[in-house]
């Protein structure tokens, strides 16, 4: 963010070693050596609602970058709102942070972590959360951060161009085609509030749609837990 005023275009910043990483809601993000940690800095058009859509662009980019480097065999899926899964475990997390005033976003940082080589200590994983997995541990394939960065940047630029040309709808449809547990019963937790229902999809803003005992509910932000996972 300190670099943002001097940058005129999209800029990727990759960390060789990250010692104070953080995830959503200020949680610690462990980053063992050999894994991927990078941030894309953008100057987006629009406000927070438009900026939030980049979470889906980033997830699609991670999905496609892994496929480009590893082929079609890894079983990948996207977990709302910002995780990429491999064989049912958490491979990657995405965090968006913006700065601006009023309804305008002047700079948007899209942080992406990918467990390429190892997984963090499972003691740091929140209870009921999906277990972390690594690309090498699940597939036997070794991908370095230097190999991941250009593949990810290329995939992100492609999906960003699709959103620029077609709006959020093509991103939404592509994300849903890769969504984990679509049609299953899941639980959304926001603070002390838990909502369980059938995962019907996401709306035009990217909010989660659940259908449960209280009918159809639209949830803009929450942590998701899979029933019976």
């Amino acid at each position: 963010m300190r670099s943002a005023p001097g940058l005129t275009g999209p800029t990727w910043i990759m960390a060789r070693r990250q010692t104070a990483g953080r995830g959503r809601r200020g949680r610690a993000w462990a980053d063992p050596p050999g894994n991927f940690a990078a941030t894309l800095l953008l100057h987006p058009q629009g406000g927070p609602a438009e900026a939030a859509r980049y979470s889906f662009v980033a997830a699609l980019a991670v999905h496609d970058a892994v496929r480009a480097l590893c082929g079609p065999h890894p079983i990948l899926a996207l977990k709302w709102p910002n995780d990429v899964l491999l064989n049912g475990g958490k491979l990657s997390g995405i965090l968006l942070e913006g700065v601006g005033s009023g309804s305008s976003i002047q700079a948007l940082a899209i942080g992406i972590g990918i467990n390429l080589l190892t997984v963090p200590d499972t003691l740091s994983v929140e209870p009921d959360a999906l277990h972390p997995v690594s690309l090498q541990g699940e597939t036997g394939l070794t991908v370095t951060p230097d190999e991941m960065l250009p593949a990810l940047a290329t995939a992100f630029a492609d999906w960003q161009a699709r959103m620029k040309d077609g709006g959020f709808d093509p991103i939404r449809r592509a994300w849903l085609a890769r969504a984990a547990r679509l049609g299953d019963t899941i639980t959304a937790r926001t603070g002390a509030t838990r909502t369980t229902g059938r995962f019907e999809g996401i709306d035009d803003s990217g909010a989660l749609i659940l259908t449960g005992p209280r009918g159809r509910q639209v949830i803009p932000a929450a942590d998701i837990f899979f029933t019976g996972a």
Side-chain angles (χ1 to χ4, degrees), residues 31-44:
D31 181 34
N35 289 346
F36 180 85
T39 295
L40 172 61
L41 189 66
L42 299 175
H43 297 283

Side-chain angles (χ1 to χ4, degrees), residues 159-180:
W159 285 108
Q160 185 180 18
R162 295 191 206 188
M163 187 164 69
K164 181 179 179 181
D165 292 340
F168 185 60
D169 188 58
I171 304 301
R172 175 182 170 275
R173 287 187 281 106
W175 189 93
L176 286 172
R178 298 159 175 79

Side-chain angles (χ1 to χ4, degrees), residues 68-127:
L69 293 168
C70 301
H73 301 297
I75 301 175
L76 297 165
L78 306 181
K79 177 176 177 283
W80 189 90
N82 58 0
D83 291 339
V84 180
L85 309 184
L86 171 60
N87 295 339
K90 182 173 177 176
L91 175 70
S92 171
I94 298 162
L95 177 68
L96 272 61
E97 295 181 287
V99 294
S101 58
S103 61
S104 177
I105 297 291
Q106 275 79 52
L108 178 68
I110 305 171
I112 300 174
I114 306 173
N115 298 327
L116 296 178
L117 188 62
T118 56
V119 298
D121 185 349
T122 54
L123 293 177
S124 65
V125 178
E126 185 179 7

